[in-house]
Amino acid sequence: MIIETIKSPADVKRLSLEEMKALAAEMRTLLVRKVSCHGGHCGPNLGMVEATIAMHYVFQSPEDKIVFDVSHQSYPHKMLTGRAEAFLDAGHYDDVSGYSEPSESGHDHFVIGHTSTSVSLAGGLAKGRDLAGAKGNVIAVIGDGSLSGGEALEGLDWAAELGTNFIIVVNDNQMSIAENHGGLYRNLEELRRSNGTCSNNLFRAMGLDYVYVDKGNDLEALIDAFRRVKDTDHPTVVHINTLKGKGYAPAEADKERWHWSAPFDAETGELLSPVTAETYDELTATHLLAQMKADRTVCAITAGTPGIWNWTPERRKEAGGQFVDVGIAEEHAVALASGIAKAGGKAVFGVCSTFLQRAYDQLSQDLCINDSPATILVLRGSLTTMTDVTHLCHFDIPLLSNIPNLVYLAPTNREEYLAMLDWSLGYKAHPVAIRVPAGPTVPATRPVQTDYSDLDRYEVVERGKDVALFALGSFFSLGERVCRLLEAQGIRATLVNPRYISGIDTRLLDSLTTDHRLAVTLEDGVLDGGFGEKIARHYGPSEVKTLCYGAKKQFVDRFLPKEFLAANRLVDTLITEDILGMLNR
Amino acid sequence: MIIETIKSPADVKRLSLEEMKALAAEMRTLLVRKVSCHGGHCGPNLGMVEATIAMHYVFQSPEDKIVFDVSHQSYPHKMLTGRAEAFLDAGHYDDVSGYSEPSESGHDHFVIGHTSTSVSLAGGLAKGRDLAGAKGNVIAVIGDGSLSGGEALEGLDWAAELGTNFIIVVNDNQMSIAENHGGLYRNLEELRRSNGTCSNNLFRAMGLDYVYVDKGNDLEALIDAFRRVKDTDHPTVVHINTLKGKGYAPAEADKERWHWSAPFDAETGELLSPVTAETYDELTATHLLAQMKADRTVCAITAGTPGIWNWTPERRKEAGGQFVDVGIAEEHAVALASGIAKAGGKAVFGVCSTFLQRAYDQLSQDLCINDSPATILVLRGSLTTMTDVTHLCHFDIPLLSNIPNLVYLAPTNREEYLAMLDWSLGYKAHPVAIRVPAGPTVPATRPVQTDYSDLDRYEVVERGKDVALFALGSFFSLGERVCRLLEAQGIRATLVNPRYISGIDTRLLDSLTTDHRLAVTLEDGVLDGGFGEKIARHYGPSEVKTLCYGAKKQFVDRFLPKEFLAANRLVDTLITEDILGMLNR
């Protein structure tokens, strides 16, 4: 295979056009094969094969620097920059990450996983080049829905002022993860229809030069366009019209399904291990859809990721105007929810923990200062749901729980979650965030409260003495297991379901001081700035000692959940051992 | 005066055009008079007098809802909505805030103080109206530099999809706080020059309808335009060309100086109490400018607020390409700094604590995951620098100190600050943030370290026993005062300058357990998620008790610093009293 001869971009430059076309076909085969066994981003990579070959044919990476937005379309780039082995040999599939990674190769310049960052990051490389009086092309690749993110638009606006070499490749595959949303995509459509010639042009309006490539999967057209802009002396957009999923029929036919996939049968496209149990995502979508039918003011909001909480195209259609996909625009989504709530609507913004990070100021200013009673569903918040460093869901507790006015709740089971969600829809005093557990639903084994208006009242599930366990949300079951292990040692501990992440039940905490010597906190997130530290501060002046469990503050990448938990002593036996040690001191 | 007869917008509707013109003149006189005595936003309000009168003449507030971006241009709106007294009578100047405030009037819909939020918030009102099947116009007012902020651009992009009534008034006064930056402002200029007719139009490219008003300070033209768009059935931009500072000669002549002003002599424009002592802002600008001359790769970045750290137009000119104003675009600024650092440049982004909130995800993803060695200067971070609820600088410690890889430093005096700043420029291992003290510089009274690479090593300034004070950054002097008060009671405390906000000196902390019973933390910020809680967690399992001082988690508005500090027991005598109580237990 040609791909086996490609050790670096220099080897691409030696190929004939026909060889490059054959190379593209090989790369697609490898892409589909790897993703089918391993899982990963499918459609975005299939659409970018030719553009990536053409970029490496024309530009001189790594002296010329290519920065991929989200970098979930960088697999072809990895294949051409010394990392083909990780796609050729199943034994080496895990040698590379699913995103750009400087530690793997000098052809990668940043670790990137969130959207809408490439123009700004690459812009910094260009500015740094100019400050140093250096040379070389800087190329930002963006698209696949990322353009609507605030950071990308800020970057495009700024780029016009750079006044030196800067190339922005807009990969227009006509999709976000789901369909595109936002007015700017109408302009892209108009540009495609007019072959880039229509008078109104978003990029030109932003002050940028503009080149259009209608055949964005045609090597000759791409090479020609990149040659035209290479060594340009001013910021220029190259708008390429590509086909997401190109070359794999199922992915061409259903672009949303094939944006990312768990392992599948490459012949049929069927998932190898389809989810059958009821998940919290499925529960949320079905429950909210029913609520919407009963109440026309209930409105679900997503920022370009309807699929992660099971808002299928069919459900979106059924919900009509009550389901709003704002595109990748988390800042807008939070402010929109605040506005809807102020107008009397019941807004529910569902968002992955890691992506909610993009809207801290909007949570603080637009939502919480205004005390707008909207609901934020924080999806995947946990140490073990996402294991890529750019997608860690470890930080939402410090992020949200330190903002005044926000009620942040941690349900421990299915019924408690639904009760909290329903309560939040009717609650008018404050905004409410709920840390939705991940994975299959867990049924309640004790009665569930329906009203959470008496804020910061923890639930004492078992009343013992000496040691009290504050087992938050998804770690409640860990607390239960520790209780059973302590019981086996003759210790009857107090087990608390805190329910509220954002506040301390001082009355309960103070009452426990009479017959408790140790408070143990368990949280499924980073320790720093989190829940346990608030308990430690409260008990700081008292005789009650504290032990906080959660993760050490660090960025970790592609870890094994079990090993990671053990490294942080988040294991029932280890915690029990520590508690026994403390009690026997 | 006519203004005295205006109790609500209904009274505006009864006026003739001539009367409205006279009213505008009265309003300007009152604006300048109040701001000259009281301080406040000057230029933005002077430019919006006619547009505000015209909006209230044409629309039916509060059924029609007007949302002001930043809301620092809402003084004329306040005058016409039952709050004229707060501008007529010096005794009532403090009856109203400097921003929109629903608790003052039903004509205000949100508490707003950060930029770029009005389109999204008003968009939510419009969507909520539609969900409820209600009627009425929704009007977002935006401008004065806010358009370049990511949230505003996300909002504009989304607005096109609303498909129902939504009016976006773009107040184009050709300025941000300083001059405008970003390519989109070139498009606004082209639109002004072509009387709104040029083919390339940012707003149309975003999918919005568009109306241009060249005479944005002409009542007839404005009334005519607003009448045309009133009850529109689709999202429409009304682009009005206004004069910032109109009617007050000094403000027309120097728009940057007169964006906001401390009290001044209305005749001459001279400040009543000009700053004469050296401030940390002045020190920063002069020091960085000198560094820039010595090293062409040093690059200072601002996001539309050069003035708050004394980057005067003269200094900006002197710095040339080494000073970058990205416009109001904090997300881009952080990513840009990361890119510059990766390219070998020495990027320094200076930003007010409250505005840095807009870039949490960029700090985490673009900067810290990539470990890019840029410097972030966090300006004004303190409980007492800013007292408007939307501008609180209380939250930067929880925001920054819980992000892995970031080294967050708290200097306690002038020389320590400069040493940290200089060290950060050469440091290559991690990004560094520095919490720059506010106000006049405080000279060092002890030798200052020049190298901070041995992370998380606290400085023991006085070694005593029993009680240790960890007095962070701007609260170091509070710690010194408490030490003196304790000394008077025969207690020699240990006084620690932690220097590092983002990490714990476990070696020191553990060593203190031998002869200390109490650790007291003092931080000039909110307690929740902050510095003290980390100390409390560390000492949680030990015999050392902890007392954490800082502010309770809450949004406070227009408070008196002294009273606020006292309410949080942030007073040397109260802290001493608490310590003595603990030691004598």
Side-chain angles (χ1 to χ4, degrees):
Chain A
M1 291 206 287
I2 299 168
I3 185 73
E4 292 167 295
T5 70
I6 308 291
K7 302 301 173 196
S8 82
D11 297 320
V12 176
K13 295 179 202 300
R14 281 194 281 269
L15 300 179
S16 69
L17 189 65
E18 286 314 307
E19 287 169 325
M20 281 192 270
K21 285 181 185 171
L23 173 65
E26 291 176 12
M27 289 167 71
R28 288 207 162 84
T29 304
L30 294 178
L31 276 169
V32 173
R33 190 189 300 159
K34 176 169 178 178
V35 176
S36 73
C37 302
H38 186 272
H41 282 98
C42 190
N45 285 302
L46 289 169
M48 276 295 287
V49 170
E50 287 83 4
T52 307
I53 296 173
M55 281 193 288
H56 282 299
Y57 187 78
V58 172
F59 297 105
Q60 199 75 32
S61 177
E63 291 74 31
D64 292 336
K65 299 182 195 322
I66 310 170
V67 179
F68 291 91
D69 200 84
V70 205
S71 73
H72 63 330
Q73 77 292 64
S74 65
Y75 298 10
H77 165 76
K78 293 199 178 195
M79 291 185 188
L80 304 180
T81 52
R83 290 169 278 181
E85 187 83 351
F87 297 85
L88 282 159
D89 180 349
H92 287 276
Y93 278 173
D94 280 320
D95 288 4
V96 300
S97 78
Y99 301 94
S100 65
E101 180 51 71
S103 69
E104 289 172 9
S105 165
H107 296 275
D108 293 6
H109 306 284
F110 299 96
V111 182
I112 300 179
H114 281 197
T115 66
S116 314
T117 70
S118 67
V119 176
S120 294
L121 289 170
L125 292 181
K127 179 71 190 175
R129 172 201 63 201
D130 297 346
L131 286 166
K135 299 269 168 238
N137 291 275
V138 174
I139 304 114
V141 178
I142 189 165
D144 212 26
S146 296
L147 273 180
S148 58
E151 184 179 356
L153 293 165
E154 287 182 359
L156 286 173
D157 180 43
W158 169 85
E161 290 213 350
L162 181 64
T164 55
N165 174 286
F166 190 26
I167 297 159
I168 299 164
V169 177
V170 174
N171 171 27
D172 179 6
N173 61 17
Q174 311 178 32
M175 289 292 287
S176 294
I177 296 175
E179 73 282 1
N180 275 325
H181 284 281
L184 72 85
Y185 291 107
R186 295 189 202 160
N187 187 240
L188 294 199
E189 191 183 340
E190 203 186 344
L191 286 164
R192 289 194 304 270
R193 246 185 301 157
S194 65
N195 201 28
T197 62
C198 64
S199 65
N200 209 16
N201 179 315
L202 176 74
F203 304 106
R204 291 195 190 279
M206 287 282 202
L208 301 159
D209 201 358
Y210 176 85
V211 170
Y212 179 71
V213 182
D214 190 52
K215 295 182 174 170
N217 293 100
D218 181 281
L219 277 161
E220 283 180 276
L222 289 162
I223 290 169
D224 177 56
F226 292 143
R227 279 185 171 150
R228 278 166 61 199
V229 299
K230 188 182 179 183
D231 300 325
T232 175
D233 64 357
H234 61 278
T236 304
V237 166
V238 182
H239 175 187
I240 65 175
N241 176 22
T242 67
L243 181 63
K244 191 165 181 169
K246 184 175 168 65
Y248 184 56
E252 285 189 22
D254 186 350
K255 295 183 177 66
E256 181 173 339
R257 153 76 188 88
W258 290 95
H259 175 80
W260 182 94
S261 183
F264 58 92
D265 180 321
E267 285 298 309
T268 65
E270 297 292 319
L271 285 177
L272 297 184
S273 309
V275 177
T276 51
E278 182 194 57
T279 63
Y280 281 99
D281 297 327
E282 181 68 14
L283 177 68
T284 304
T286 55
H287 187 77
L288 274 180
L289 193 56
Q291 295 284 29
M292 284 174 184
K293 287 178 183 169
D295 181 347
R296 286 290 168 202
T297 70
V298 175
C299 179
I301 302 169
T302 186
T305 51
I308 69 158
W309 51 320
N310 288 28
W311 281 96
T312 58
E314 298 69 35
R315 284 182 180 140
R316 277 147 35 203
K317 202 174 158 195
E318 222 179 316
Q322 288 174 266
F323 188 88
V324 181
D325 184 347
V326 300
I328 292 172
E330 290 82 3
E331 301 177 72
H332 173 68
V334 170
L336 183 74
S338 174
I340 291 173
K342 281 289 176 199
K346 295 172 179 172
V348 182
F349 175 36
V351 56
C352 192
S353 161
T354 188
F355 300 137
L356 184 55
Q357 295 180 180
R358 302 169 75 91
Y360 175 85
D361 196 50
Q362 290 69 33
L363 290 168
S364 174
Q365 297 274 324
D366 297 335
L367 189 72
C368 292
I369 286 181
N370 284 287
D371 241 346
S372 298
T375 301
I376 310 287
L377 297 181
V378 182
L379 309 170
R380 309 279 189 281
S382 163
L383 293 170
T384 52
T385 44
M386 309 274 260
T387 56
D388 290 299
V389 65
T390 49
H391 287 69
L392 299 177
C393 293
H394 298 186
F395 301 99
D396 57 273
I397 294 179
L399 195 80
L400 298 188
S401 69
N402 301 317
I403 302 176
N405 292 350
L406 186 67
V407 179
Y408 193 18
L409 298 173
T412 61
N413 61 53
R414 182 186 190 280
E415 282 67 32
E416 193 173 37
Y417 167 53
L418 288 182
M420 286 172 172
L421 175 53
D422 286 345
W423 168 79
S424 79
L425 294 179
Y427 186 58
K428 293 293 171 204
H430 295 294
V432 175
I434 304 176
R435 201 173 202 232
V436 183
T441 58
V442 175
T445 55
R446 53 187 199 281
V448 155
Q449 188 174 301
T450 54
D451 185 356
Y452 296 86
S453 313
D454 186 14
L455 298 181
D456 304 334
R457 291 288 152 250
Y458 295 178
E459 181 195 10
V460 178
V461 180
E462 301 179 27
R463 182 63 164 84
K465 67 185 190 67
D466 290 328
V467 57
L469 289 154
F470 296 84
L472 191 70
S474 41
F475 269 8
F476 184 74
S477 60
L478 176 62
E480 287 183 305
R481 293 200 305 277
V482 172
C483 273
R484 297 297 75 81
L485 290 171
L486 288 171
E487 210 163 43
Q489 302 291 323
I491 294 164
R492 181 156 157 67
T494 293
L495 177 63
V496 178
N497 166 20
R499 304 192 293 204
Y500 299 84
I501 312 177
S502 46
I504 292 295
D505 187 344
T506 54
R507 201 165 53 185
L508 173 68
L509 263 65
D510 291 343
S511 78
L512 294 177
T513 58
T514 55
D515 55 353
H516 288 75
R517 291 184 284 149
L518 178 64
V520 178
T521 64
L522 307 176
E523 68 196 290
D524 193 4
V526 69
L527 279 167
D528 297 65
F531 172 74
E533 291 187 343
K534 289 173 185 54
I535 305 280
R537 167 160 64 94
H538 184 81
Y539 278 133
S542 81
E543 297 298 328
V544 177
K545 294 195 168 61
T546 47
L547 270 180
C548 299
Y549 289 89
K552 186 169 166 265
K553 177 177 80 170
Q554 61 177 329
F555 287 124
V556 280
D557 195 18
R558 288 169 290 150
F559 55 89
L560 293 173
K562 204 176 161 178
E563 287 178 10
F564 179 71
L565 293 176
N568 284 283
R569 294 190 75 76
L570 290 164
V571 179
D572 50 10
T573 50
L574 299 176
I575 295 167
T576 305
E577 189 182 304
D578 293 348
I579 291 172
L580 292 172
M582 285 288 294
L583 291 178
N584 294 333
R585 254 193 210 172
Chain B
M1 290 206 288
I2 299 168
I3 186 73
E4 292 168 294
T5 70
I6 309 291
K7 302 301 173 195
S8 82
D11 296 321
V12 176
K13 292 178 203 300
R14 280 195 281 270
L15 300 179
S16 68
L17 189 66
E18 286 315 306
E19 286 168 326
M20 281 191 270
K21 286 181 184 170
L23 174 64
E26 289 176 13
M27 288 166 71
R28 287 207 162 84
T29 303
L30 294 178
L31 276 169
V32 173
R33 191 188 300 159
K34 176 170 178 177
V35 177
S36 73
C37 302
H38 186 271
H41 283 97
C42 189
N45 285 303
L46 289 169
M48 276 295 287
V49 170
E50 287 83 6
T52 307
I53 296 173
M55 282 193 287
H56 281 299
Y57 186 78
V58 172
F59 297 106
Q60 200 74 33
S61 177
E63 291 75 29
D64 293 336
K65 299 182 196 322
I66 309 170
V67 178
F68 290 91
D69 200 83
V70 205
S71 74
H72 63 331
Q73 78 292 63
S74 66
Y75 299 8
H77 165 76
K78 293 199 178 195
M79 291 185 189
L80 302 180
T81 52
R83 290 169 277 182
E85 187 83 351
F87 297 84
L88 281 158
D89 180 348
H92 287 275
Y93 278 172
D94 280 319
D95 288 4
V96 300
S97 78
Y99 301 94
S100 66
E101 179 52 71
S103 69
E104 288 172 9
S105 165
H107 295 276
D108 292 8
H109 306 284
F110 298 96
V111 182
I112 299 178
H114 281 196
T115 66
S116 315
T117 71
S118 67
V119 176
S120 294
L121 288 170
L125 292 181
K127 179 72 190 174
R129 172 200 63 200
D130 298 346
L131 287 166
K135 299 269 169 241
N137 291 275
V138 173
I139 303 115
V141 178
I142 190 165
D144 212 25
S146 297
L147 273 180
S148 58
E151 185 179 356
L153 293 165
E154 288 183 358
L156 286 173
D157 180 44
W158 169 86
E161 289 213 350
L162 181 65
T164 55
N165 174 285
F166 190 26
I167 297 159
I168 299 163
V169 176
V170 174
N171 171 28
D172 179 6
N173 61 18
Q174 311 178 32
M175 290 292 286
S176 295
I177 296 175
E179 73 281 1
N180 275 324
H181 283 281
L184 72 85
Y185 290 107
R186 295 190 202 159
N187 188 239
L188 294 199
E189 190 184 341
E190 202 186 343
L191 285 165
R192 289 195 304 270
R193 246 184 303 158
S194 65
N195 200 28
T197 62
C198 64
S199 65
N200 211 14
N201 178 315
L202 176 75
F203 304 107
R204 291 194 189 279
M206 287 282 202
L208 301 159
D209 201 357
Y210 176 85
V211 171
Y212 179 71
V213 182
D214 190 52
K215 295 182 175 170
N217 292 100
D218 181 280
L219 277 161
E220 282 179 278
L222 289 162
I223 289 170
D224 178 56
F226 293 144
R227 279 184 172 151
R228 278 165 62 198
V229 299
K230 187 182 179 184
D231 300 325
T232 175
D233 64 358
H234 61 278
T236 305
V237 165
V238 182
H239 175 187
I240 65 175
N241 177 21
T242 66
L243 181 63
K244 191 164 181 170
K246 185 174 166 66
Y248 184 56
E252 285 188 23
D254 186 350
K255 297 183 176 66
E256 181 174 341
R257 154 74 187 90
W258 288 96
H259 174 80
W260 183 93
S261 182
F264 57 92
D265 180 321
E267 286 299 310
T268 65
E270 297 292 319
L271 286 178
L272 297 184
S273 309
V275 176
T276 50
E278 182 193 56
T279 63
Y280 281 99
D281 298 326
E282 181 68 13
L283 177 68
T284 304
T286 54
H287 187 77
L288 274 179
L289 193 56
Q291 296 283 28
M292 284 174 183
K293 287 179 184 170
D295 181 346
R296 285 292 166 199
T297 70
V298 174
C299 179
I301 302 169
T302 186
T305 51
I308 69 158
W309 51 321
N310 288 27
W311 280 95
T312 58
E314 298 69 34
R315 284 182 180 140
R316 281 156 19 213
K317 201 175 158 194
E318 221 178 319
Q322 288 176 266
F323 187 88
V324 181
D325 184 347
V326 300
I328 293 173
E330 290 82 3
E331 302 178 71
H332 173 68
V334 170
L336 182 75
S338 173
I340 291 172
K342 281 289 176 198
K346 295 172 179 171
V348 181
F349 175 35
V351 56
C352 191
S353 162
T354 188
F355 300 137
L356 185 55
Q357 297 181 178
R358 303 169 76 91
Y360 175 86
D361 196 50
Q362 290 69 34
L363 289 168
S364 174
Q365 297 275 323
D366 298 335
L367 189 72
C368 292
I369 286 181
N370 285 287
D371 242 345
S372 298
T375 301
I376 310 287
L377 297 181
V378 182
L379 309 170
R380 310 277 188 281
S382 163
L383 293 170
T384 52
T385 44
M386 309 273 259
T387 57
D388 289 300
V389 65
T390 49
H391 287 68
L392 298 177
C393 293
H394 298 186
F395 301 99
D396 57 274
I397 294 179
L399 195 81
L400 299 187
S401 69
N402 301 315
I403 302 176
N405 291 349
L406 186 68
V407 179
Y408 194 18
L409 298 173
T412 60
N413 60 52
R414 183 185 189 282
E415 282 68 31
E416 194 174 35
Y417 167 53
L418 288 182
M420 287 172 171
L421 175 54
D422 285 345
W423 168 78
S424 78
L425 294 179
Y427 186 59
K428 293 293 171 204
H430 295 293
V432 175
I434 304 176
R435 201 172 202 232
V436 183
T441 58
V442 174
T445 54
R446 52 187 199 282
V448 156
Q449 188 173 300
T450 54
D451 185 355
Y452 296 86
S453 312
D454 187 13
L455 298 181
D456 303 335
R457 291 288 152 250
Y458 295 180
E459 179 195 10
V460 178
V461 179
E462 302 180 27
R463 183 64 165 85
K465 68 184 188 68
D466 290 328
V467 55
L469 289 155
F470 296 85
L472 191 70
S474 41
F475 269 9
F476 184 75
S477 60
L478 176 62
E480 287 183 306
R481 292 200 305 276
V482 172
C483 274
R484 297 296 75 80
L485 290 172
L486 287 171
E487 209 163 43
Q489 302 291 323
I491 294 164
R492 180 155 157 68
T494 294
L495 176 63
V496 178
N497 166 19
R499 304 193 293 206
Y500 299 85
I501 312 177
S502 47
I504 292 295
D505 187 344
T506 54
R507 201 166 53 187
L508 172 68
L509 263 66
D510 292 343
S511 78
L512 294 177
T513 58
T514 55
D515 55 353
H516 288 75
R517 293 184 282 148
L518 178 64
V520 177
T521 64
L522 307 176
E523 68 197 289
D524 194 4
V526 68
L527 278 167
D528 297 66
F531 172 75
E533 291 187 343
K534 290 173 184 54
I535 305 281
R537 168 160 65 92
H538 184 81
Y539 279 133
S542 80
E543 298 297 329
V544 177
K545 294 196 169 60
T546 46
L547 268 181
C548 300
Y549 289 89
K552 186 168 167 265
K553 177 177 80 171
Q554 61 177 330
F555 286 124
V556 280
D557 195 18
R558 287 169 291 151
F559 55 88
L560 293 173
K562 202 173 164 182
E563 286 178 11
F564 180 71
L565 293 175
N568 284 284
R569 296 190 73 77
L570 290 164
V571 178
D572 50 10
T573 50
L574 298 176
I575 294 167
T576 305
E577 188 182 304
D578 294 347
I579 292 172
L580 292 172
M582 285 288 294
L583 292 178
N584 295 332
R585 256 192 209 173

